Amino acid sequence: SQKIEQNSEALNIQEGKTATLTCNYTNYSPAYLQWYRQDPGRGPVFLLLIRENEKEKRKERLKVTFDTTLKQSLFHITASQPADSATYLCALGVGTYKYIFGTGTRLKVLA
Amino acid sequence: SQTIHQWPATLVQPVGSPLSLECTVEGTSNPNLYWYRQAAGRGLQLLFYSVGIGQISSEVPQNLSASRPQDRQFILSSKKLLLSDSGFYLCAWAKGQGSYEQYFGPGTRLTVT
């Protein structure tokens, strides 16, 4: 069956450290993968998109990798800050118009 | 710039009552439109998407329906709500071929009692 898995447990890290979140998928062949941030009671906000032919993408303190052989994406936040605390969702682009979301990982950055 | 609106923000409805949630997008034309539901502590479940007026694709069989009467208007409806319809409903839009990011609305918190 098709599955997308993100770290189900909340991730607590110390301010200034690098947070690494994982997104694993099975039985999909996504053309691209996206990461979103969601704060409580709000809609998700787009962060980064990476295509299947790209290995890595960066934006300021954010970095995403995409390994289509391992069927895994890693999302890194360097020099993390308490304001980075949120739930982070990965989403696979499957087909031309469809997106399949993971359940998200809740990140808490401790001051 | 583009904006997306959803209303109402919160809704409490009894089981068996009808539902109508509305989503409108401003500042873009011919967007792809999406309805998602997020149950408490769960991920986003794609319910419907639309690539044009009157074109609706359903992802999950259920007692919900969607319509797109105008280019930038997307409506989610139900004739009779179930308890399991409770959740956070999110509308989103995207440009073009689907390889672009999605922009989400503020959401509607629906509680069916």
Side-chain angles (χ1 to χ4, degrees), chain A residues 1-59:
Chain A
S1 64
Q2 296 174 315
K3 247 192 306 188
I4 304 173
E5 291 181 327
Q6 296 186 247
N7 314 65
S8 57
E9 301 293 325
L11 180 63
N12 293 337
I13 64 164
Q14 210 60 41
E15 182 177 8
K17 300 291 186 185
T18 296
T20 298
L21 283 63
T22 305
C23 177
N24 295 299
Y25 58 92
T26 55
N27 295 325
Y28 285 112
S29 296
Y32 55 90
L33 187 146
Q34 304 175 359
W35 284 88
Y36 289 79
R37 169 185 172 139
Q38 186 175 24
D39 291 289
R42 310 286 292 272
V45 174
F46 171 79
L47 296 175
L48 280 169
L49 177 150
I50 186 166
R51 291 186 165 81
E52 59 180 335
N53 59 349
E54 299 174 317
K55 295 293 184 188
E56 183 179 297
K57 208 76 170 284
R58 290 175 185 262
K59 179 183 175 183

Side-chain angles (χ1 to χ4, degrees), chain A residues 2 28 32 91-101, chain B residues 34 36 46 49 57-59 97-98 102:
Chain A
Q2 296 174 315
Y28 285 112
Y32 55 90
L92 305 185
V94 294
T96 306
Y97 305 110
K98 277 178 59 172
Y99 304 75
I100 306 296
F101 280 79
Chain B
Y34 301 81
Y36 290 90
L46 178 62
Y49 66 92
S57 295
S58 174
E59 288 299 301
Q97 292 293 314
Q102 290 189 295

Side-chain angles (χ1 to χ4, degrees), chain B residues 1-45:
Chain B
S1 65
Q2 301 91 2
T3 54
I4 179 168
H5 304 278
Q6 278 187 253
W7 63 91
T10 59
L11 193 57
V12 180
Q13 292 284 98
V15 168
S17 62
L19 173 73
S20 181
L21 302 181
E22 189 164 342
C23 170
T24 59
V25 181
E26 295 176 358
T28 188
S29 58
N30 198 28
N32 295 335
L33 296 172
Y34 301 81
W35 278 112
Y36 290 90
R37 177 170 61 203
Q38 188 173 35
R42 308 283 295 276
L44 274 68
Q45 179 188 29

